[in-house]
PDB file of all heavy atoms in Angstrom:
ATOM      1  N   PHE B 447     116.921  72.141 163.031  1.00 54.00           N
ATOM      2  CA  PHE B 447     116.100  71.803 164.192  1.00 54.00           C
ATOM      3  C   PHE B 447     115.263  72.917 164.689  1.00 54.00           C
ATOM      4  O   PHE B 447     115.612  73.985 164.839  1.00 54.00           O
ATOM      5  CB  PHE B 447     117.069  71.384 165.253  1.00 54.00           C
ATOM      6  CG  PHE B 447     116.535  70.943 166.585  1.00 54.00           C
ATOM      7  CD1 PHE B 447     115.947  69.696 166.681  1.00 54.00           C
ATOM      8  CD2 PHE B 447     116.355  71.813 167.662  1.00 54.00           C
ATOM      9  CE1 PHE B 447     115.340  69.288 167.833  1.00 54.00           C
ATOM     10  CE2 PHE B 447     115.719  71.363 168.776  1.00 54.00           C
ATOM     11  CZ  PHE B 447     115.246  70.088 168.909  1.00 54.00           C
ATOM     12  N   ASN B 448     113.888  72.528 164.852  1.00 51.00           N
ATOM     13  CA  ASN B 448     112.966  73.462 165.250  1.00 51.00           C
ATOM     14  C   ASN B 448     113.106  73.780 166.741  1.00 51.00           C
ATOM     15  O   ASN B 448     112.606  73.028 167.573  1.00 51.00           O
ATOM     16  CB  ASN B 448     111.469  73.047 164.931  1.00 51.00           C
ATOM     17  CG  ASN B 448     111.332  72.980 163.453  1.00 51.00           C
ATOM     18  OD1 ASN B 448     111.769  73.920 162.704  1.00 51.00           O
ATOM     19  ND2 ASN B 448     110.637  71.943 162.957  1.00 51.00           N
ATOM     20  N   ARG B 449     113.774  74.865 167.057  1.00 54.00           N
ATOM     21  CA  ARG B 449     113.965  75.155 168.471  1.00 54.00           C
ATOM     22  C   ARG B 449     112.629  75.595 169.107  1.00 54.00           C
ATOM     23  O   ARG B 449     111.825  76.080 168.389  1.00 54.00           O
ATOM     24  CB  ARG B 449     114.973  76.265 168.570  1.00 54.00           C
ATOM     25  CG  ARG B 449     116.335  75.914 168.092  1.00 54.00           C
ATOM     26  CD  ARG B 449     117.335  75.897 169.223  1.00 54.00           C
ATOM     27  NE  ARG B 449     118.674  75.726 168.740  1.00 54.00           N
ATOM     28  CZ  ARG B 449     119.651  75.197 169.418  1.00 54.00           C
ATOM     29  NH1 ARG B 449     119.445  74.829 170.656  1.00 54.00           N
ATOM     30  NH2 ARG B 449     120.869  75.009 168.954  1.00 54.00           N
ATOM     31  N   ILE B 450     112.576  75.563 170.488  1.00 46.00           N
ATOM     32  CA  ILE B 450     111.358  75.918 171.132  1.00 46.00           C
ATOM     33  C   ILE B 450     111.160  77.416 170.936  1.00 46.00           C
ATOM     34  O   ILE B 450     109.994  77.904 170.756  1.00 46.00           O
ATOM     35  CB  ILE B 450     111.447  75.670 172.605  1.00 46.00           C
ATOM     36  CG1 ILE B 450     111.964  74.144 172.855  1.00 46.00           C
ATOM     37  CG2 ILE B 450     110.134  75.832 173.250  1.00 46.00           C
ATOM     38  CD1 ILE B 450     112.507  73.938 174.195  1.00 46.00           C
ATOM     39  N   VAL B 451     112.283  78.198 171.032  1.00 50.00           N
ATOM     40  CA  VAL B 451     112.160  79.615 170.980  1.00 50.00           C
ATOM     41  C   VAL B 451     111.772  80.145 169.656  1.00 50.00           C
ATOM     42  O   VAL B 451     112.336  79.735 168.648  1.00 50.00           O
ATOM     43  CB  VAL B 451     113.499  80.279 171.429  1.00 50.00           C
ATOM     44  CG1 VAL B 451     113.378  81.814 171.652  1.00 50.00           C
ATOM     45  CG2 VAL B 451     114.065  79.591 172.707  1.00 50.00           C
ATOM     46  N   ALA B 452     110.814  81.010 169.582  1.00 50.00           N
ATOM     47  CA  ALA B 452     110.361  81.516 168.256  1.00 50.00           C
ATOM     48  C   ALA B 452     110.645  83.066 168.232  1.00 50.00           C
ATOM     49  O   ALA B 452     110.660  83.767 169.331  1.00 50.00           O
ATOM     50  CB  ALA B 452     108.928  81.249 167.976  1.00 50.00           C
ATOM     51  N   PHE B 453     110.910  83.657 167.104  1.00 54.00           N
ATOM     52  CA  PHE B 453     111.088  85.102 167.032  1.00 54.00           C
ATOM     53  C   PHE B 453     110.068  85.885 166.179  1.00 54.00           C
ATOM     54  O   PHE B 453     109.552  85.284 165.158  1.00 54.00           O
ATOM     55  CB  PHE B 453     112.464  85.439 166.506  1.00 54.00           C
ATOM     56  CG  PHE B 453     113.579  84.939 167.338  1.00 54.00           C
ATOM     57  CD1 PHE B 453     114.131  83.679 167.066  1.00 54.00           C
ATOM     58  CD2 PHE B 453     114.032  85.619 168.392  1.00 54.00           C
ATOM     59  CE1 PHE B 453     115.142  83.166 167.946  1.00 54.00           C
ATOM     60  CE2 PHE B 453     115.054  85.151 169.261  1.00 54.00           C
ATOM     61  CZ  PHE B 453     115.542  83.933 168.974  1.00 54.00           C
ATOM     62  N   SER B 454     109.688  87.061 166.606  1.00 50.00           N
ATOM     63  CA  SER B 454     108.858  87.909 165.821  1.00 50.00           C
ATOM     64  C   SER B 454     109.556  89.030 165.257  1.00 50.00           C
ATOM     65  O   SER B 454     110.647  89.386 165.728  1.00 50.00           O
ATOM     66  CB  SER B 454     107.664  88.372 166.702  1.00 50.00           C
ATOM     67  OG  SER B 454     108.180  89.360 167.552  1.00 50.00           O
ATOM     68  N   THR B 455     109.122  89.665 164.153  1.00 47.00           N
ATOM     69  CA  THR B 455     109.777  90.741 163.542  1.00 47.00           C
ATOM     70  C   THR B 455     109.298  92.146 164.134  1.00 47.00           C
ATOM     71  O   THR B 455     109.688  93.206 163.735  1.00 47.00           O
ATOM     72  CB  THR B 455     109.581  90.841 162.004  1.00 47.00           C
ATOM     73  OG1 THR B 455     108.166  90.703 161.767  1.00 47.00           O
ATOM     74  CG2 THR B 455     110.362  89.712 161.426  1.00 47.00           C
ATOM     75  N   LYS B 456     108.431  91.991 165.226  1.00 44.00           N
ATOM     76  CA  LYS B 456     107.918  93.228 165.823  1.00 44.00           C
ATOM     77  C   LYS B 456     109.091  93.855 166.673  1.00 44.00           C
ATOM     78  O   LYS B 456     109.879  93.144 167.154  1.00 44.00           O
ATOM     79  CB  LYS B 456     106.746  92.879 166.737  1.00 44.00           C
ATOM     80  CG  LYS B 456     105.582  92.576 165.903  1.00 44.00           C
ATOM     81  CD  LYS B 456     104.340  92.226 166.891  1.00 44.00           C
ATOM     82  CE  LYS B 456     103.383  91.300 166.186  1.00 44.00           C
ATOM     83  NZ  LYS B 456     102.517  90.601 167.019  1.00 44.00           N
ATOM     84  N   PRO B 457     109.113  95.195 166.868  1.00 45.00           N
ATOM     85  CA  PRO B 457     110.165  95.734 167.667  1.00 45.00           C
ATOM     86  C   PRO B 457     109.987  95.307 169.097  1.00 45.00           C
ATOM     87  O   PRO B 457     108.952  95.008 169.631  1.00 45.00           O
ATOM     88  CB  PRO B 457     109.911  97.286 167.549  1.00 45.00           C
ATOM     89  CG  PRO B 457     108.466  97.375 167.182  1.00 45.00           C
ATOM     90  CD  PRO B 457     108.173  96.151 166.316  1.00 45.00           C
ATOM     91  N   THR B 458     111.193  95.277 169.784  1.00 48.00           N
ATOM     92  CA  THR B 458     111.200  94.822 171.181  1.00 48.00           C
ATOM     93  C   THR B 458     110.442  95.803 172.150  1.00 48.00           C
ATOM     94  O   THR B 458     110.546  97.032 172.019  1.00 48.00           O
ATOM     95  CB  THR B 458     112.603  94.770 171.724  1.00 48.00           C
ATOM     96  OG1 THR B 458     113.297  95.999 171.385  1.00 48.00           O
ATOM     97  CG2 THR B 458     113.377  93.646 171.202  1.00 48.00           C
ATOM     98  N   GLN B 459     109.639  95.133 173.012  1.00 47.00           N
ATOM     99  CA  GLN B 459     108.861  95.951 173.942  1.00 47.00           C
ATOM    100  C   GLN B 459     109.547  96.017 175.266  1.00 47.00           C
ATOM    101  O   GLN B 459     109.625  94.942 175.923  1.00 47.00           O
ATOM    102  CB  GLN B 459     107.376  95.345 174.130  1.00 47.00           C
ATOM    103  CG  GLN B 459     106.587  95.631 172.966  1.00 47.00           C
ATOM    104  CD  GLN B 459     105.181  95.157 173.192  1.00 47.00           C
ATOM    105  OE1 GLN B 459     104.873  94.474 174.193  1.00 47.00           O
ATOM    106  NE2 GLN B 459     104.211  95.523 172.380  1.00 47.00           N
ATOM    107  N   HIS B 460     110.210  97.155 175.634  1.00 44.00           N
ATOM    108  CA  HIS B 460     110.928  97.192 176.930  1.00 44.00           C
ATOM    109  C   HIS B 460     109.846  97.401 178.023  1.00 44.00           C
ATOM    110  O   HIS B 460     108.785  97.819 177.829  1.00 44.00           O
ATOM    111  CB  HIS B 460     111.814  98.429 176.894  1.00 44.00           C
ATOM    112  CG  HIS B 460     112.872  98.283 175.828  1.00 44.00           C
ATOM    113  ND1 HIS B 460     113.887  97.404 175.813  1.00 44.00           N
ATOM    114  CD2 HIS B 460     112.878  98.859 174.580  1.00 44.00           C
ATOM    115  CE1 HIS B 460     114.613  97.597 174.705  1.00 44.00           C
ATOM    116  NE2 HIS B 460     114.075  98.333 173.933  1.00 44.00           N
ATOM    117  N   ALA B 461     110.326  97.020 179.327  1.00 41.00           N
ATOM    118  CA  ALA B 461     109.395  97.001 180.390  1.00 41.00           C
ATOM    119  C   ALA B 461     108.874  98.493 180.652  1.00 41.00           C
ATOM    120  O   ALA B 461     107.774  98.770 181.020  1.00 41.00           O
ATOM    121  CB  ALA B 461     110.103  96.506 181.692  1.00 41.00           C
ATOM    122  N   ALA B 462     109.770  99.520 180.395  1.00 40.00           N
ATOM    123  CA  ALA B 462     109.394 100.876 180.616  1.00 40.00           C
ATOM    124  C   ALA B 462     108.284 101.278 179.626  1.00 40.00           C
ATOM    125  O   ALA B 462     107.376 101.998 180.064  1.00 40.00           O
ATOM    126  CB  ALA B 462     110.634 101.732 180.435  1.00 40.00           C
ATOM    127  N   ALA B 463     108.420 100.784 178.379  1.00 40.00           N
ATOM    128  CA  ALA B 463     107.435 101.119 177.406  1.00 40.00           C
ATOM    129  C   ALA B 463     106.094 100.605 177.759  1.00 40.00           C
ATOM    130  O   ALA B 463     105.058 101.187 177.408  1.00 40.00           O
ATOM    131  CB  ALA B 463     107.857 100.623 176.045  1.00 40.00           C
ATOM    132  N   VAL B 464     106.108  99.478 178.399  1.00 41.00           N
ATOM    133  CA  VAL B 464     104.798  98.824 178.791  1.00 41.00           C
ATOM    134  C   VAL B 464     104.077  99.649 179.767  1.00 41.00           C
ATOM    135  O   VAL B 464     102.828  99.902 179.663  1.00 41.00           O
ATOM    136  CB  VAL B 464     105.014  97.366 179.300  1.00 41.00           C
ATOM    137  CG1 VAL B 464     103.763  96.824 179.920  1.00 41.00           C
ATOM    138  CG2 VAL B 464     105.456  96.469 178.173  1.00 41.00           C
ATOM    139  N   SER B 465     104.849 100.202 180.757  1.00 42.00           N
ATOM    140  CA  SER B 465     104.183 101.059 181.813  1.00 42.00           C
ATOM    141  C   SER B 465     103.837 102.393 181.321  1.00 42.00           C
ATOM    142  O   SER B 465     102.835 102.979 181.761  1.00 42.00           O
ATOM    143  CB  SER B 465     105.104 101.139 183.036  1.00 42.00           C
ATOM    144  OG  SER B 465     106.343 101.664 182.580  1.00 42.00           O
ATOM    145  N   GLU B 466     104.685 102.926 180.335  1.00 42.00           N
ATOM    146  CA  GLU B 466     104.364 104.311 179.833  1.00 42.00           C
ATOM    147  C   GLU B 466     102.976 104.604 179.187  1.00 42.00           C
ATOM    148  O   GLU B 466     102.318 105.408 179.589  1.00 42.00           O
ATOM    149  CB  GLU B 466     105.475 104.765 178.813  1.00 42.00           C
ATOM    150  CG  GLU B 466     106.647 105.437 179.587  1.00 42.00           C
ATOM    151  CD  GLU B 466     107.806 105.464 178.573  1.00 42.00           C
ATOM    152  OE1 GLU B 466     107.588 105.760 177.411  1.00 42.00           O
ATOM    153  OE2 GLU B 466     108.937 105.330 179.078  1.00 42.00           O
ATOM    154  N   PRO B 467     102.661 103.613 178.201  1.00 43.00           N
ATOM    155  CA  PRO B 467     101.266 103.851 177.621  1.00 43.00           C
ATOM    156  C   PRO B 467     100.204 103.722 178.636  1.00 43.00           C
ATOM    157  O   PRO B 467      99.266 104.458 178.582  1.00 43.00           O
ATOM    158  CB  PRO B 467     101.201 102.706 176.572  1.00 43.00           C
ATOM    159  CG  PRO B 467     102.548 102.146 176.449  1.00 43.00           C
ATOM    160  CD  PRO B 467     103.350 102.563 177.635  1.00 43.00           C
ATOM    161  N   ALA B 468     100.446 102.828 179.678  1.00 40.00           N
ATOM    162  CA  ALA B 468      99.423 102.639 180.705  1.00 40.00           C
ATOM    163  C   ALA B 468      99.245 103.956 181.455  1.00 40.00           C
ATOM    164  O   ALA B 468      98.173 104.386 181.733  1.00 40.00           O
ATOM    165  CB  ALA B 468      99.746 101.445 181.703  1.00 40.00           C
ATOM    166  N   ALA B 469     100.363 104.648 181.835  1.00 40.00           N
ATOM    167  CA  ALA B 469     100.365 105.889 182.536  1.00 40.00           C
ATOM    168  C   ALA B 469      99.719 106.989 181.688  1.00 40.00           C
ATOM    169  O   ALA B 469      98.901 107.710 182.160  1.00 40.00           O
ATOM    170  CB  ALA B 469     101.756 106.276 182.910  1.00 40.00           C
ATOM    171  N   GLU B 470     100.012 107.048 180.378  1.00 42.00           N
ATOM    172  CA  GLU B 470      99.521 108.023 179.486  1.00 42.00           C
ATOM    173  C   GLU B 470      98.061 107.833 179.439  1.00 42.00           C
ATOM    174  O   GLU B 470      97.287 108.850 179.462  1.00 42.00           O
ATOM    175  CB  GLU B 470     100.111 107.855 177.982  1.00 42.00           C
ATOM    176  CG  GLU B 470     101.482 108.484 177.902  1.00 42.00           C
ATOM    177  CD  GLU B 470     102.110 108.201 176.548  1.00 42.00           C
ATOM    178  OE1 GLU B 470     101.361 107.735 175.703  1.00 42.00           O
ATOM    179  OE2 GLU B 470     103.325 108.303 176.438  1.00 42.00           O
ATOM    180  N   GLN B 471      97.620 106.571 179.212  1.00 44.00           N
ATOM    181  CA  GLN B 471      96.193 106.416 179.154  1.00 44.00           C
ATOM    182  C   GLN B 471      95.390 106.875 180.350  1.00 44.00           C
ATOM    183  O   GLN B 471      94.359 107.344 180.282  1.00 44.00           O
ATOM    184  CB  GLN B 471      95.848 104.889 178.893  1.00 44.00           C
ATOM    185  CG  GLN B 471      96.113 104.495 177.409  1.00 44.00           C
ATOM    186  CD  GLN B 471      95.958 102.963 177.171  1.00 44.00           C
ATOM    187  OE1 GLN B 471      95.160 102.434 177.873  1.00 44.00           O
ATOM    188  NE2 GLN B 471      96.671 102.387 176.328  1.00 44.00           N
TER     189      GLN B 471
END
Side-chain angles (χ1 to χ4, degrees):
Chain B
F447 177 78
N448 292 319
R449 296 243 187 207
I450 312 163
V451 189
F453 293 98
S454 69
T455 48
K456 290 176 200 162
T458 47
Q459 283 187 349
H460 302 283
V464 170
S465 57
E466 271 165 38
E470 280 172 15
Q471 280 176 31

